[in-house]
Amino acid sequence: MLTPRNTTRCPKRKISLATLLSGLAALSVILTITIQLIASYQSKKRALFDTTLTLNHSNAMKMSLTMDSLFKSMRSSLQYTAGIMADNRLMNEASRYEYLELMRKSSNYFNSIVAVDETGIVRTTAPQTVGTTGTPLTTDASKEALSLRKSYTSKPYISASGRLIMFMSEPLFDKDGLYRGMIAGTIYLQENNIIHTIFGSNNMDELGTYFFVVSSDGSLLYHPDKSRIGENVSRNQVVGKTMQGLNGSEQVVSTRGVALLAGYSTVQENNWGIVVVSPIEKVYEQLNRDTRLMLIYMLPPFLLLMLSAIWLARKLARPFVSLADLVSKIGKEKVDLPVPQSHWNREADLLTRTIMLAVADIQKRADQLTQAAVTDPLTGLMNRRTMEDAMNGWIAEQAPFSIIVTDLDKFKSINDTYGHQAGDEVLKHLAAIMKQLVPVVDICCRYGGEEFVILLAGTTVTDAFIVAERIRLTMEKSHEPLGKPVTLSLGIAHYPSHALSAESLFLQADQALYEAKKRGRNQTVIARSYEVSAELNQTESRG
């Protein structure tokens, strides 16, 4: 007899609500810290890259100015020596040597100095150890300098002594104007020289930042690695830009395949380029160190929070259903806090109210930070960034609007006479008038200092002119807070009538503002390129 098969299946293991809520709480904490770490990492990365590029460009500019001054001094020293030698042609060789050696040692500009006659024979060399006295010039660069008969700076080349050098020269003309040769000062690029003396102490910082100097043809004149001096690196993108006389900063890959953050500048005196670079690898190392340190500081409170959430979830499963749903939304969307409901469990009830208060405080602080990011703290008006975002948004939508740029007349004299606190009161008073007279749907901004901007959506120039005149006349008639009127000058422009970009439109309004200043202040001027009706022109003239 067949026995019936037992079809009863073993029930699947069910996950308890407490376990489920514990897992969700732990997951929420982990996701929160992950999102914060990623956001912080990206933000710090961008900030660190931008700061490094800015610092490198600033350093390159400062060094180029120093190099420019140095070479002007070197050129002036050679010119002075050339004048002395030309006026004293009867000096014997010993006297010429003593003078050149004195110049070389006193200034330390050049590794050696030579005097060459018009036939190309070296007459005097300082120091004498160079050993070229009495020999003719052999290099193409020296022959070119002699034949040009004017100030000259050579490119790097290998001298007869096997050194990698460059030189500067000045022609010798006697009192009758006859060409008598030249004075040349040489720099030994791979040895101790004036460039090493001035810039060689700039060691790498924690980001591995260093700099190098290139000639006008892209050859390395100075580099921390002396073995690379003389190497042509013109294929490097930023070196190519210095050869074009440009200044700036950008991310670049070196000729050896190293990713760098580079700032570069050109020396005006000799068209050399100075490039300050930081390896991106080092920047990432610092960024990773900062991220690890932040993680170390963040981990204990987050672990504590997670363990507390798990423990409470196991004790208070039911109340935590709604709490977990609430917490999961934080950071993802705007949370509308529900009306707190009482729970039979006293601890759960207190915890629910506490978490809701904490969420409300976080949301309140976030709202405050958001408001602070778009608001001018003194006047309570929107700030410049809000203005730019609004203009760009309206232009992207091709929605017509007007812009009014206003500036307090003689505001500096108010600060000088009554003090900056009184000046602040004037600014707040003007802001109050603008809030009162400008429709709520439009935007009032403090652009900076005593300059304000009003954006009027969907308006014509005529509408903007009426609003501007209301503000101007109200301010003119008001005696607060100084006890006497303070006047305004205003400029108006319209999109798309005056310009098709935010920058150009603001410039049009700003130029109209300055036209109002030129006309005597306390008036409103519309940008000139706009065709207005005769009635509007009459209204403007009466104003």
Side-chain angles (χ1 to χ4, degrees), residues 84-375:
I84 296 296
M85 300 291 286
D87 293 338
N88 297 274
R89 293 194 68 250
L90 298 180
M91 293 173 63
N92 57 37
E93 183 177 345
S95 298
R96 286 198 304 269
Y97 171 75
E98 290 179 0
Y99 185 81
L100 294 181
E101 184 68 3
L102 176 62
M103 172 196 170
R104 186 182 70 86
K105 290 183 176 180
S106 61
S107 67
N108 199 33
Y109 287 152
F110 304 104
N111 294 99
S112 65
I113 304 175
V114 297
V116 183
D117 65 19
E118 65 273 19
T119 66
I121 301 299
V122 178
R123 293 302 179 187
T124 308
T125 304
Q128 293 176 338
T129 53
V130 176
T132 58
T133 303
T135 62
L137 299 176
T138 58
T139 63
D140 293 337
S142 59
K143 291 178 181 179
E144 181 182 6
L146 185 68
S147 63
L148 287 176
R149 301 187 179 187
K150 62 181 182 181
S151 299
Y152 181 83
T153 301
S154 76
K155 297 177 181 178
Y157 68 94
I158 303 297
S159 68
S161 62
R163 290 187 172 99
L164 179 65
I165 70 171
M166 58 80 58
F167 71 87
M168 301 171 62
S169 67
E170 286 294 324
L172 292 173
F173 292 96
D174 62 18
K175 60 184 179 179
D176 297 324
L178 296 176
Y179 183 57
R180 298 299 183 181
M182 66 178 183
I183 295 292
T186 62
I187 298 176
Y188 302 159
L189 295 175
Q190 292 177 316
E191 301 176 25
N192 290 330
N193 54 56
I194 187 64
I195 302 177
H196 287 80
T197 301
I198 294 179
F199 300 109
S201 60
N202 293 323
N203 297 321
M204 293 184 182
D205 61 13
E206 61 181 4
L207 289 180
T209 301
Y210 64 94
F211 77 95
F212 57 87
V213 182
V214 294
S215 65
S216 58
D217 67 345
S219 297
L220 284 172
L221 301 175
Y222 173 83
H223 194 281
D225 183 0
K226 288 186 177 181
S227 65
R228 297 193 61 186
I229 295 178
E231 178 183 338
N232 189 286
V233 291
S234 58
R235 292 184 294 107
N236 185 299
Q237 183 176 340
V238 295
V239 172
K241 292 186 176 181
T242 64
M243 294 167 64
Q244 301 173 30
L246 301 177
N247 303 309
S249 61
E250 60 187 79
Q251 184 173 333
V252 67
V253 177
S254 71
T255 55
R256 298 193 172 186
V258 180
L260 304 168
L261 297 175
Y264 53 92
S265 181
T266 304
V267 182
Q268 293 184 356
E269 177 67 20
N270 51 22
N271 293 323
W272 288 5
I274 295 182
V275 183
V276 181
V277 296
S278 302
I280 291 181
E281 180 183 358
K282 295 291 184 180
V283 177
Y284 275 115
E285 287 180 3
Q286 179 173 338
L287 182 61
N288 291 335
R289 285 197 301 270
D290 293 343
T291 303
R292 285 194 296 269
L293 184 61
M294 182 176 66
L295 182 60
I296 291 173
Y297 284 119
M298 291 176 60
L299 196 57
F302 271 101
L303 287 175
L304 179 62
L305 176 62
M306 184 174 65
L307 292 175
S308 300
I310 292 174
W311 182 78
L312 290 174
R314 292 185 176 278
K315 295 294 181 180
L316 306 167
R318 187 179 297 277
F320 264 72
V321 172
S322 59
L323 291 180
D325 181 62
L326 181 65
V327 171
S328 66
K329 296 178 181 178
I330 297 176
K332 300 177 182 178
E333 59 184 64
K334 181 72 174 179
V335 177
D336 295 325
L337 294 179
V339 178
Q341 297 180 352
S342 297
H343 298 289
W344 62 268
N345 184 277
R346 175 177 176 275
E347 290 76 15
D349 184 70
L350 290 175
L351 183 61
T352 299
R353 295 181 182 275
T354 301
I355 290 182
M356 286 189 177
L357 288 174
V359 172
D361 184 62
I362 292 172
Q363 192 162 291
K364 179 181 177 182
R365 291 177 182 273
D367 292 340
Q368 291 174 344
L369 290 174
T370 301
Q371 182 67 16
V374 299
T375 305

